[in-house]
């Protein structure tokens, strides 16, 4: 319940600081382009997996929302994970990384999948040995990093690419910047309901979420094998507590929730209304809110299409 109260405190702060609880994504973002291009190559290269079959892009399809559209992703040898892969887009604006927040920032997150036995199943040291054996990678790293190929430089290059993965100019962003014709009347009505129903309490700020933890199952008990932060802290108060996900590009990242069991936006809206808000929501209201959520799909950054 303390976490739920935090939602109200956060929302209260938003009301004090400004009338609009959500801010548009910047059209341009800062990152080192040359390092980002190296990071992009690493992101798509299966060399980082033990048997050279799995790359980051296998779970984060940058042409389709930044996730893989599966309930659970598959790693090397067809090993299935146990949590729905989140989108990599706009992750630079999350206050922590992964559903349970175990990584403090992108750099701490970047190498995690490499050593995860369900994903790439390769130690970072083994990956570095393989990269150093590749003449093109040796030359590329040498141009950008005096120290060459190290744990820090590999992570740094991947981070620079992930920092570039921002999706601006969604219809809602254009609306926030003053283009009132950018959104349909239905989507505008949905945004009004999104605020009045209370969704905005947890999904606010530039990333429309991703800025604190919250318990899943406030008004109705939620159960599942994956217990969120409880697996890290073993504190009862952290059971079923997760990082609030961003809603950016949400229409493109089905299935939903940490367990990937929710297949449609409409179903997700109903579940969140029941479990998190304890409020009734009609089918018509769900349709309006879904229209608003569909207005959050932004533009794929140019670097994704560069060769």
């Amino acid at each position: 319940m303390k976490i739920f109260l935090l939602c109200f405190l956060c929302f209260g702060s938003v009301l004090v600081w400004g009338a609009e609880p959500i801010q548009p994504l910047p059209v341009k973002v800062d990152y080192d382009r040359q390092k980002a291009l190296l990071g992009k190559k690493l992101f798509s290269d299966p060399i980082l997996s033990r048997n050279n079959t799995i790359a980051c892009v296998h779970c984060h399809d940058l042409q389709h929302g930044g996730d893989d559209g599966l309930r659970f992703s598959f790693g090397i040898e067809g090993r299935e994970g146990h949590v729905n892969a989140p989108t990599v887009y706009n992750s630079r604006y999350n206050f922590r990384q992964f559903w349970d927040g175990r990584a403090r920032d992108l750099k701490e997150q970047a190498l995690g999948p490499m050593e995860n036995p369900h994903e790439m199943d390769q130690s970072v040291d083994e990956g570095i040995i393989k990269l150093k054996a590749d003449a093109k990678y040796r030359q590329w790293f040498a141009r950008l990093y005096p120290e060459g190929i190290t744990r820090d430089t590999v992570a740094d290059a991947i981070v620079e690419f992930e920092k570039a993965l921002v999706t601006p100019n969604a219809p809602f962003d254009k609306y926030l910047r003053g283009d009132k014709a950018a959104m349909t009347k239905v989507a505008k009505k949905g945004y009004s309901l999104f605020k009045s129903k209370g969704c905005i309490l947890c999904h606010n700020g530039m990333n429309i979420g991703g800025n604190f933890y919250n318990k899943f199952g406030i008004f109705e008990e939620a159960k599942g094998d994956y217990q969120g932060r409880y697996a890290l802290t073993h504190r009862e108060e952290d059971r079923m507590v997760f990082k609030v996900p961003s809603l950016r590009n949400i229409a493109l990242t089905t299935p939903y929730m940490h367990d990937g069991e929710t297949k449609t936006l409409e179903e997700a809206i109903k579940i969140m209304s029941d479990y998190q808000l304890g409020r009734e929501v009609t089918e018509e209201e769900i349709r309006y809110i879904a229209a608003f959520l569909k207005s959050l799909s932004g533009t794929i950054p140019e670097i994704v299409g560069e060769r």
Side-chain angles (χ1 to χ4, degrees):
M1 185 59 69
K2 288 189 293 185
I3 296 174
F4 184 53
L5 291 175
L6 178 60
C7 291
F8 285 97
L9 292 175
C10 289
F11 186 50
S13 297
V14 171
L15 292 179
V16 171
W17 293 334
E20 188 55 65
I22 298 176
Q23 298 79 47
L25 288 173
V27 176
K28 294 184 179 180
V29 293
D30 294 329
Y31 63 92
D32 186 308
R33 185 174 182 278
Q34 293 306 311
K35 290 180 179 179
L37 289 173
L38 171 56
K40 178 184 178 182
K41 173 61 177 175
L42 292 169
F43 197 85
S44 61
D45 196 336
I47 195 173
L48 296 183
S49 65
R50 178 173 55 78
N51 61 0
N52 299 322
T53 60
I54 296 294
C56 302
V57 293
H58 284 86
C59 298
H60 300 287
D61 184 346
L62 300 178
Q63 296 295 338
H64 299 92
D67 67 341
D68 59 8
L70 300 175
R71 182 189 178 197
F72 298 139
S73 301
F74 292 91
I76 68 169
E77 300 172 349
R79 298 176 189 174
E80 188 178 37
H82 66 282
V83 65
N84 184 249
T87 178
V88 71
Y89 277 127
N90 307 303
S91 57
R92 68 180 292 172
Y93 300 118
N94 291 330
F95 91 117
R96 294 289 189 275
Q97 305 300 324
F98 298 115
W99 279 98
D100 57 14
R102 63 185 181 275
R104 292 172 294 180
D105 52 31
L106 286 176
K107 190 167 187 179
E108 194 169 287
Q109 174 274 332
L111 302 182
M114 190 190 306
E115 297 192 313
N116 188 317
H118 292 285
E119 297 181 51
M120 298 179 178
D121 194 28
Q122 175 171 257
S123 73
V124 175
D125 289 340
E126 290 172 327
I128 290 173
I129 291 173
K130 289 163 67 175
L131 290 173
K132 286 183 175 180
D134 187 299
K136 291 184 179 180
Y137 273 124
R138 288 200 309 272
Q139 295 169 5
W140 203 342
F141 272 92
R143 288 198 304 269
L144 300 175
Y145 299 99
E147 62 271 47
I149 302 174
T150 70
R151 172 184 287 265
D152 283 344
T153 59
V154 171
D156 186 74
I158 294 174
V159 167
E160 285 304 307
F161 177 56
E162 291 181 336
K163 285 166 59 178
L165 298 179
V166 176
T167 58
N169 290 324
F172 183 59
D173 287 329
K174 295 177 181 179
Y175 171 81
L176 291 177
R177 289 196 169 96
D179 182 359
K180 302 309 178 184
M183 289 175 67
T184 65
K185 291 182 179 179
V186 175
K188 291 175 185 177
K189 174 67 174 178
Y191 181 42
S192 178
L193 286 167
F194 186 84
K195 291 187 286 186
S196 65
K197 288 289 184 179
C199 312
I200 198 72
L201 299 177
C202 294
H203 294 285
N204 53 64
M206 187 159 55
N207 217 15
I208 320 180
N211 45 13
F212 60 93
Y213 300 117
N214 200 2
K215 180 179 179 64
F216 179 58
I218 294 173
F219 289 95
E220 292 190 23
E221 183 180 4
K223 297 179 181 180
D225 295 333
Y226 180 47
Q227 300 284 302
R229 287 188 57 74
Y230 177 78
L232 300 176
T233 68
H234 301 293
R235 297 185 304 185
E236 190 60 33
E237 63 193 81
D238 286 335
R239 194 181 294 276
M240 299 304 291
V241 169
F242 304 91
K243 180 192 70 182
V244 175
S246 164
L247 296 185
R248 293 277 177 187
N249 303 297
I250 190 68
L252 307 176
T253 59
T254 182
Y256 304 114
M257 312 299 182
H258 61 280
D259 57 12
E261 288 190 347
T262 307
K263 297 180 180 180
T264 69
L265 277 178
E266 291 76 12
E267 184 182 359
I269 294 166
K270 180 66 167 65
I271 288 173
M272 296 306 289
S273 181
D274 291 343
Y275 280 73
Q276 301 305 101
L277 301 175
R279 305 186 69 172
E280 291 291 331
V281 59
T282 67
E283 290 187 6
E284 183 179 40
E285 290 171 333
I286 289 175
R287 181 172 65 86
Y288 285 133
I289 295 173
F292 162 64
L293 296 178
K294 291 175 184 178
S295 78
L296 303 179
S297 299
T299 303
I300 295 175
E302 290 184 4
I303 193 171
V304 171
E306 292 183 26
R307 296 185 181 276

